[in-house]
Amino acid sequence: MQEQYRTVAREGVHETEINRSRFICALAPAATEEEAQAFVARIRREHPTATHNCFAYVVGADAAVQKASDDGEPGGTAGVPMLQMLLRREIRYVAAVVTRYYGGVKLGAGGLIRGYGGVVGEALDALGTVTRKRFRLATVTVDHQRAGKLENDLRATGRQVRDVTYTDTVRIGIGLPDADVDAFRAWLADVTAGTAGLELGGEAYGDA
């Protein structure tokens, strides 16, 4: 698995004009291919009179799923340069739709490639990106008496507390870099006098 990946910080829109053609780039995080396709469909519904609604998306920390569409533009002049911009910037789990309203001036193949790829790059700059790192999911089990202080200690030391569940004991879900597991186990034993349990789970990505 990839140790980390970058994705767009939030959904948003960036617009630019090139030789009277409007290029409107909509970007959104997409956790699955279905989410990416739903976003593309939504943007197309929002711009039914546009000349073109071209798209590209990348899903998977290792970019396993990559799709692009020129939506009627000359082959390779729209979706592919959009996809290449996402890959060059190492952006994952993202969907991009560039809506073009033709302004009456032909841009030529080179102009289209620069226009579609360029507006995606500008949109990434405008909306910002975040890095997500791979974590080992883990659950700490502790008695009620120590739970409040332990949760505070976890947050104070920069641990990623994902959830807290109160039953007969308290279960605190956290995320740990793999390399920190042994050190964390020792720290936990120290601060709880050996009374807390640690159970390792699967893997996930979280904010770096």
Side-chain angles (χ1 to χ4, degrees):
M1 283 179 76
Q2 296 284 111
E3 284 303 314
Q4 62 182 43
Y5 70 87
R6 293 170 68 210
T7 191
V8 65
R10 59 187 172 86
E11 182 178 327
V13 177
H14 174 79
E15 180 174 346
T16 191
E17 186 174 308
I18 303 171
N19 286 348
R20 299 213 297 269
S21 274
R22 290 174 66 201
F23 285 81
I24 306 165
C25 179
L27 286 176
T32 64
E33 186 168 11
E34 290 73 22
E35 275 188 28
Q37 290 170 344
F39 177 70
V40 172
R42 172 157 64 85
I43 298 302
R44 282 182 163 164
R45 285 195 301 272
E46 289 175 8
H47 295 278
T49 62
T51 318
H52 304 280
N53 282 294
C54 307
F55 73 81
Y57 57 77
V58 182
V59 178
D62 55 355
V65 178
Q66 303 176 20
K67 291 279 172 63
S69 166
D70 297 315
D71 192 37
E73 293 281 30
T77 63
V80 170
M82 290 168 63
L83 181 62
Q84 286 174 338
M85 179 60 72
L86 295 174
L87 294 173
R88 191 179 314 139
R89 295 284 196 93
E90 299 181 339
I91 307 298
R92 306 289 186 258
Y93 292 105
V94 65
V97 183
V98 175
T99 300
R100 181 187 178 204
Y101 287 92
Y102 180 58
V105 179
K106 292 195 172 180
L107 301 180
L112 290 173
I113 289 169
R114 286 190 297 275
Y116 279 100
V119 73
V120 172
E122 289 174 14
L124 288 170
D125 290 338
L127 296 174
T129 60
V130 292
T131 299
R132 300 196 185 282
K133 283 190 173 181
R134 185 161 64 91
F135 286 96
R136 169 74 61 186
L137 296 175
T139 303
V140 175
T141 306
V142 68
D143 60 49
H144 286 262
Q145 187 180 346
R146 299 176 190 267
K149 181 178 185 307
L150 179 59
E151 185 181 344
N152 289 338
D153 287 347
L154 287 167
R155 295 184 191 278
T157 54
R159 301 295 178 190
Q160 184 191 32
V161 176
R162 302 171 68 87
D163 56 68
V164 182
T165 307
Y166 291 88
T167 54
D168 53 333
T169 59
V170 181
R171 295 169 61 83
I172 304 173
I174 59 171
L176 288 174
D178 267 342
D180 288 1
V181 170
D182 289 341
F184 177 77
R185 199 186 295 275
W187 175 86
L188 183 65
D190 185 46
V191 299
T192 65
T195 61
L198 179 64
E199 182 185 324
L200 297 178
E203 292 178 321
Y205 288 89
D207 291 345

